Each structure stands twice: as C-alpha cells, then as structure tokens.
Amino acid sequence: MNSAPHTPSPLHDRGGPAQPLLVVRNLKKHFPVRGGPLERTKKFVHAVDGVSFSVPKGKTLGIVGESGCGKSTTARLIARLMQADSGSMVFDGEGVDEFGGIRLKEFRRSLQMVFQDSFASLNPRLTIAETIAYGPRVHGMPAAEAKRQAHDLLARVGLAPEQFASRYPHELSGGQRQRVNIARALAFDPRLVILDEAVAALDKSVQAQVLNLLQELKAERQLTYLFISHDLHVVHYISDYVMVMYLGQVVETGPVERIYGQAAHPYTRALLSAVPSMDPDRRTESSPLAGDPPNPINPPSGCRFRDRCPHAHPVCEATSPALISLPGDPAHQAACHLNDPASGHPGALPETQA
Amino acid sequence: MTAPLVSLQNLSVQFCGNRKASALNAVNIELGAGEVLGLLGESGSGKSVTLRTLLRLHPERSTKIQGKIEVDGHDVLALKGRALDLYRGGTVSMVFQEPGLAFDPVYTIGQQITEAIRAHGAVGEAAARAQALHMLERVQIPQARRRFDAYPHELSGGMRQRAMIALALACQPKLLLADEPTTALDATVQIQVLLLLRELQRETGMSVIFVTHDIGAAVEVADRIAVMYAGRIVEQATVGDIVRTPRHPYTVGLLAATVGAEHRGQPLQAVPGAPPDLAALPPGCSFAPRCAHASERCRREVPPLESKGGHAVACWHPAQPVAEAA
Ligand SMILES: Nc1ncnc2c1ncn2[C@@H]1O[C@H](COP(=O)(O)OP(=O)(O)OP(=O)(O)O)[C@@H](O)[C@H]1O
Ligand SMILES: Nc1ncnc2c1ncn2[C@@H]1O[C@H](COP(=O)(O)OP(=O)(O)OP(=O)(O)O)[C@@H](O)[C@H]1O
Ligand code: SF4
Ligand SMILES: [Mg+2]
Ligand SMILES: [Mg+2]
C-alpha cells in the first residue's frame, strides 16, 4: 500500500518465520441443549470436540466440512467471541491470555473477522469512512489520521474514496459492502484474518474480484488467513493448507495439493467428489455420500463417520482413530484406521508400504 | 411441430410500488414438454420474478405485466378463480430455495402433502394418504413412514428439501419451477438433490425450469440454459454450447470467473463493476458499462436476442465461435 505509515502494531513478528502464527490445542465447546422437563440428564451439542491445528505465518488454512460440523464455532472460539470449555492457543510463540503471555486485548487487535452477511456487520447510521475509522479511533488514533487511513484503505480495496467515503451501507452492492468489511478489518493492521463464508453471498462475477483482492492484500501485508467456506473450488484456489472437519473434529489436514490430490480419509474423498461436473457429457452419476450427518448431541462411538463410511469395520466402532501423520509428508494427517497399520482394520496399509 | 408446453412472449414486469424496478424486459422463453431449462443469472437478474410471474404470485396492484404467457394451452395472465387455483399446484408447481416458504410449521409433512393431493383431485382421505407416503418414498426420504408424521422443523435441511419436492410433485404437474432448490444446501446434499430431480424428471416426463446462479448445478440437470442479465435473456443455447462456446461477453466472463483448480497461483479473471440498478437501466445493452467490447452502438441501442442454429445471443459484438480444432 502506498500510504499511511502504520503505527507499528505492538504485535509484529516475534517468534521468527518458523514459528506458526497460531497454534490451537484441544479446543472444546459443548453447547447445553434444553431437554424435555422429564429428562434427568442435561444434553450437549458436541460442536467442537478436541480440535488442534496450527497455521504457518503468511499462509492460508482453508476449513471445510458439512453444515453444522463446527467451523464457525471454531472461528468464534479462536476470536474469543465465545469462551471455550477447554483448550489453549499460542499466538506467535506466546500463550494467549496466560501468565507471561500475550494479553487478550492485544490478541484481539491482531485478529480480525469478516463474515458472510456483509450488511448485518455494518452500522447503518455511519458512513463507510466513519465505519472504517471507528475502531482505530476507539484505540486512540487521532481523528484526522484515522480518517486519512480510512480513505487510503477504501482506495486500496477498490472503492474510490471521493465517490464512496460518504455513502451509507444501504447505498452499496453486496460486493462493495464486503470490500468495506475487509477495509475495516485491515484498519487494525491485523496479522490473522478469519474469513467465515466471506465470499459466499457474492455473485460469481463479483466473487472473483474479492478473491483477487484478498490474495493481493495477503501478499502485501504478510497476512495469515483462516478461510472457512462451503465452496470446494474456492478453497482449492485460495488455500495453502486445508483442514477437513466432521462433527466437531478434525478428520484430515494437510497441504492443499495432498488433500485435493491424495485424500486419505474416506469422508474427505466423498466431500471432494461432491462437486457438480462442468461437463454435460459426463454428469455425476451417483452421489458420493448417502444420508445425513449423525446427531451432534449423541455422536457415534469410535469413528464418527462410521455409519456413512464404505470401509467401516467393527474396529471403527470400538476405538476412535487418532489424527496421525501419513507417510511421505508429516504435515498431512488423517484420523482413519485405514491409515494406521497398527489399528487392526483389515484394510489398513501394511507398515512397509510407505 | 407441436406447440411448446410453455411460452413467454415479450414478457415485461415492472414494479411500481414505493420501489420502482423494471424487473423483466421483453423476455421470450419457450420450453417443450419434457425439457429442462436452466435459468442462470446473478442475484437480482430477475430469475425469481420470472417464476413468480409464471405462477401469478405478484400483487396485482403494484405490478405491471405486459406480454403473454401460455402454459399447456392456458392463457395464464387471463386465468381467474378456480381455474387459477387448479393451474397453480396442478399444472405448474414450485420448489423454493427456503422450504419454510412451502410448509406450514404447525402441520406434519404427511398431512400437508395429503391435503395438497386432496385439493387437486377427487381422492378419498385414505387414498391421498397412501399416495403422499408413496411420494415421500419416491424422493428417497429414509424411513418415510416415520417421517410422514414429522413436523418440518424436525427434518434436516436436505430432507426438508426432499419433502418439498414431494409436495410439489404430489399432483403430477406438467411443469415444475425450481427456484434455487439446492443453493442453501451443502455440497454433499446438493448433489443428492440434483440427482434426485434429474431422476424424477426422467420418470415423470415433466418439464422443469431450474433457476440457479451456479453453472455447475445447471450443467447437472438442464438440457438448455438461458442466461439472464438485468431482466433480459442475453444468451440461450444447449448446455454444451453455453459451456464450450459461450458468445455473450457476460456469459464468457461468468465462465472465466468460475474458480477452478487450474487457476491456483494466478489472479482470477473477474468481470469488473457490478450489475445495474433496475430502476435506472442504461439505454442500450445493460451489460455495456461492464463490457470490454462495448461500442457507441452498445451504449445506445438494446441488442435483440437473435438465434442462429439454436444458439441465441443478444449482443452487438458476440464472441465468434472458434473453429473447433480436430
Ligand atoms: N450458540 C449455540 N447454541 C447451541 N448450539 C449451537 C450454537 N452455535 C452453534 N451450535 C451448534 O453447534 C454445531 C456447530 O455449529 P457451527 O455453526 O459451528 O457449524 P458450521 O460448521 O459453521 O456450519 P455452517 O456450514 O452451516 O455454517 C451445530 O450443531 C450448531 O447447531
Ligand atoms: N415485489 C417487488 N417490488 C419491487 N421490486 C422487486 C419485487 N420483487 C423483486 N423485485 C426486484 O426485482 C429484481 C429481480 O429480482 P429477483 O428476485 O427475480 O432476482 P433473482 O434473479 O431471483 O435474484 P436472487 O439470485 O438474488 O434470488 C430485483 O432487483 C428485486 O429487488
Ligand atoms: S475410521 Fe473407519 S469408519 Fe472412519 S473413515 Fe476410516 S474406515 Fe471409515
Ligand atoms: Mg458456519
Ligand atoms: Mg431469486
């Protein structure tokens, strides 16, 4: 960006390039659900159930999985919009909100979120320049500087300030509003941006504009993205790493080429083949996955995918598969007995074949 | 040649309430019996208005409709009273993006389908119930007998969508209008519902207008695709022609902007700008402000939809079909 000398955020690189920007360990969130008046035990939705992962600096981690598998809840827990039941986070080598670690206030500034609903997240009574300047002003930036920064940011996201700065949210199209949301997130000079279905509501022709913008900004500002989306093409396009969730747990994670090229979990394979064919002569003939995801209140024992899995075996019911590294690339991990020679699953690859 | 099942002739729809908009501008669509048309376009391009006009769902007072609609020999814009009731749900029925619009939350799925069957034919209660259960089985709802007595909120999104398809097909319509029936669903469920629609269409031989903004979904179910932009049809051809040799610059742009694996590591080819305001359409081609090929004429005169060999395009400077390499 051509502009404003950013007040260096208190949070610039500390851990060095090899230190992942974010490490999440064993995150859990169970939501209580109201049962009938006669039910004695309280029930819980196992929304996020022991999620661990890390995101390298300057990379994009795509998160995919069926509706309700816990993607947004994971995002909200990381952003501390919601308290986790348990789990810990390390941001650039320092524990978040731990004794001797980074304070919550600093952490919140260096992490910003952009949501799907571009309208609901903007204040209808503020012009878009005011909206973008609002956060930095609250954090003590002088008014004139905040305003100048807002204009620079608008120009950067492709909205000419002289034309747009004084407009209100309802005077913008969906794609323009999403640009404003991105500009507002950038006003804090964040290091991590969580994008939860941020391009889902946009038309295809406009979606491509916003994806290009996100890629440019990432390169310019060394941003790290957590990119949540239903659109498997978009995730393939934008991600460096991909994490696949099923019913509150991570079932597979790894570099994007490995996930899209040699997925190791039966669920990942089914999910990734569920994209419409673009060739009228070779339409999809059968659906890769039958049935609905199981009830998150009472998840199945063992592997949660077992009652929809074509390879399920009694061992899948008896023990839950751990997320283990696969031969060839330790960053590629899957939680399926088929990948663990010691699991006792008859279809498991023998150890020698690596 | 037999008359088409559906024909929209120069159909224009204007809303003249407190928000004025020319939602449809001289739309012409023909659809044969047993044919599936994909209506593809961005948000606000007029897809839903087209379907709602076909069902006469617009408030009469604030809507101005011009042109002609014929479906199965009926002059739809002239239908009244009982004839209109029989047309809706009998000849033509609709599946919505949001199943909440079709189902009443206080009755079970089974009751509502039974009721719909009884409203359109002289069928006894027991026979209608049996037929309703059969419909739930046909849309592949697992444990249909149990789901028959379920309330809409007790079903998952994919199952509600199936139940709505069962409701829409209960009276064996000749034309099914499907308004983004899979947009709100996950990829895995979406493909299930698309396959189901295709199968039911084959079995019943009904015609379908399938509205979507996802070209992939249209390719899976449609025979032909009509591309809408700002209330006009800008291109219409077989699915294969649209995907392989698109001619309207908007269709070309849309296909180029569709993200695929091959784009990794390079910028996407986005169509610049945003769709026009329907209250103030540009005088010429409505795509001209965003089009790289726009000339003076494009900004002045609306290009007519002209058809050659079954491929229709409304553009003064359409892309020339490249001679196919052997
Ligand atoms: N505040 C809440 N109270 C109770 N249950 C909740 C709450 N938020 C989410 N859930 C439940 O937790 C589970 C995970 O929801 P979440 O929104 O994280 O899913 P998601 O993967 O983001 O789905 P989608 O793709 O539909 O956005 C779901 O079963 C959901 O119903
Ligand atoms: N009753 C109404 N009064 C005024 N304007 C309307 C009315 N109904 C629709 N419109 C306008 O007509 C245009 C076309 O709307 P329509 O719902 O057909 O779009 P669409 O192509 O179905 O888009 P989407 O993909 O978002 O569903 C929109 O600009 C919409 O705001
Ligand atoms: S662990 Fe078993 S049930 Fe689960 S995905 Fe692997 S083979 Fe299928
Ligand atoms: Mg979500
Ligand atoms: Mg619509």
Side-chain angles (χ1 to χ4, degrees), chain A residues 66 245-247 249 251 265-271 288-294 299-313 316-317 320-321 335-336 338, chain B residues 188:
Chain A
E66 280 164 302
M245 289 183 69
Y246 188 78
L247 221 65
Q249 298 181 329
V251 295
H265 197 287
Y267 174 67
T268 310
R269 288 200 287 267
L271 181 70
L289 200 58
D292 291 301
S301 67
C303 172
R304 294 186 174 182
F305 184 56
R306 66 180 157 84
D307 46 10
R308 299 167 85 191
C309 179
H311 310 286
H313 176 268
C316 306
E317 185 178 343
S320 352
C336 166
L338 282 174
Chain B
T188 46

Side-chain angles (χ1 to χ4, degrees), chain A:
Chain A
M1 178 168 159
N2 48 3
S3 65
H6 303 297
T7 21
S9 127
L11 284 165
H12 273 139
D13 205 340
R14 294 202 264 211
Q19 172 66 42
L21 183 65
L22 179 71
V23 179
V24 172
R25 284 203 201 102
N26 207 12
L27 208 55
K28 268 195 189 141
K29 182 77 188 178
H30 292 186
F31 294 109
V33 282
R34 223 176 316 156
L38 297 177
E39 285 177 62
R40 261 164 292 145
T41 47
K42 219 174 176 185
K43 289 179 174 170
F44 293 90
V45 172
H46 297 226
V48 174
D49 217 4
V51 164
S52 303
F53 63 93
S54 64
V55 200
K57 278 180 191 156
K59 300 290 181 192
T60 298
L61 174 70
I63 305 183
V64 297
E66 280 164 302
S67 183
C69 70
K71 304 181 296 293
S72 299
T73 305
T74 302
R76 281 192 216 110
L77 294 174
I78 293 170
R80 294 293 181 110
L81 298 176
M82 192 187 264
Q83 192 63 43
D85 297 345
S86 64
S88 64
M89 287 195 286
V90 175
F91 191 80
D92 202 4
E94 298 186 54
V96 176
D97 206 18
E98 277 172 11
F99 182 73
I102 121 172
R103 281 180 320 157
L104 209 51
K105 196 175 151 211
E106 288 181 21
F107 174 69
R108 281 223 178 98
R109 252 189 83 179
S110 49
L111 174 153
Q112 293 295 314
M113 273 185 91
V114 178
F115 299 94
Q116 165 169 5
D117 190 344
S118 61
F119 208 59
S121 38
L122 293 173
N123 184 337
R125 282 187 294 272
L126 296 185
T127 67
I128 61 175
E130 285 164 357
T131 289
I132 297 169
Y134 184 81
R137 290 214 47 201
V138 170
H139 281 87
M141 190 185 275
E145 193 187 336
K147 184 177 168 195
R148 205 198 51 227
Q149 182 191 276
H151 281 230
D152 288 341
L153 285 168
L154 276 174
R156 182 59 200 91
V157 298
L159 300 173
E162 53 287 4
Q163 204 182 333
F164 288 97
S166 55
R167 290 205 198 176
Y168 289 90
H170 72 268
E171 296 171 307
L172 302 179
S173 72
Q176 290 166 341
R177 279 197 299 268
Q178 209 56 305
R179 289 166 190 271
V180 174
N181 278 314
I182 293 168
R184 181 178 58 173
L186 294 179
F188 291 91
D189 202 13
R191 299 184 63 197
L192 178 67
V193 182
I194 302 182
L195 300 138
D196 190 353
E197 300 284 0
V199 298
L202 304 178
D203 285 321
K204 286 286 176 295
S205 72
V206 176
Q207 179 178 303
Q209 299 169 4
V210 175
L211 288 173
N212 284 342
L213 174 67
L214 288 172
Q215 292 293 69
E216 288 164 27
L217 292 170
K218 179 182 158 201
E220 267 170 37
R221 299 171 169 243
Q222 285 90 48
L223 295 172
T224 302
Y225 290 152
L226 266 181
F227 191 91
I228 297 174
S229 174
H230 269 133
D231 189 324
L232 300 164
H233 290 303
V234 170
V235 169
H236 193 178
Y237 172 74
I238 205 162
S239 306
D240 300 299
Y241 296 89
V242 175
M243 175 165 106
V244 185
M245 289 183 69
Y246 188 78
L247 221 65
Q249 298 181 329
V250 180
V251 295
E252 184 161 6
T253 179
V256 65
E257 323 80 60
R258 295 270 303 200
I259 300 290
Y260 278 76
Q262 36 189 133
H265 197 287
Y267 174 67
T268 310
R269 288 200 287 267
L271 181 70
L272 295 186
S273 53
V275 291
S277 145
M278 282 293 283
D279 182 351
D281 297 328
R282 279 190 292 158
R283 291 175 169 181
T284 307
E285 283 311 321
S286 64
S287 128
L289 200 58
D292 291 301
N295 188 342
I297 293 175
N298 222 334
S301 67
C303 172
R304 294 186 174 182
F305 184 56
R306 66 180 157 84
D307 46 10
R308 299 167 85 191
C309 179
H311 310 286
H313 176 268
V315 66
C316 306
E317 185 178 343
T319 35
S320 352
L323 194 63
I324 53 166
S325 291
L326 300 174
D329 187 347
H332 186 185
Q333 304 179 319
C336 166
H337 291 313
L338 282 174
N339 297 292
D340 180 2
S343 68
H345 193 300
L349 303 166
E351 210 143 5
T352 45
Q353 193 190 334

Side-chain angles (χ1 to χ4, degrees), chain B residues 47-48 97 179-180 211:
Chain B
K47 307 179 298 292
S48 300
Q97 173 171 348
D179 195 353
E180 313 230 23
V211 159

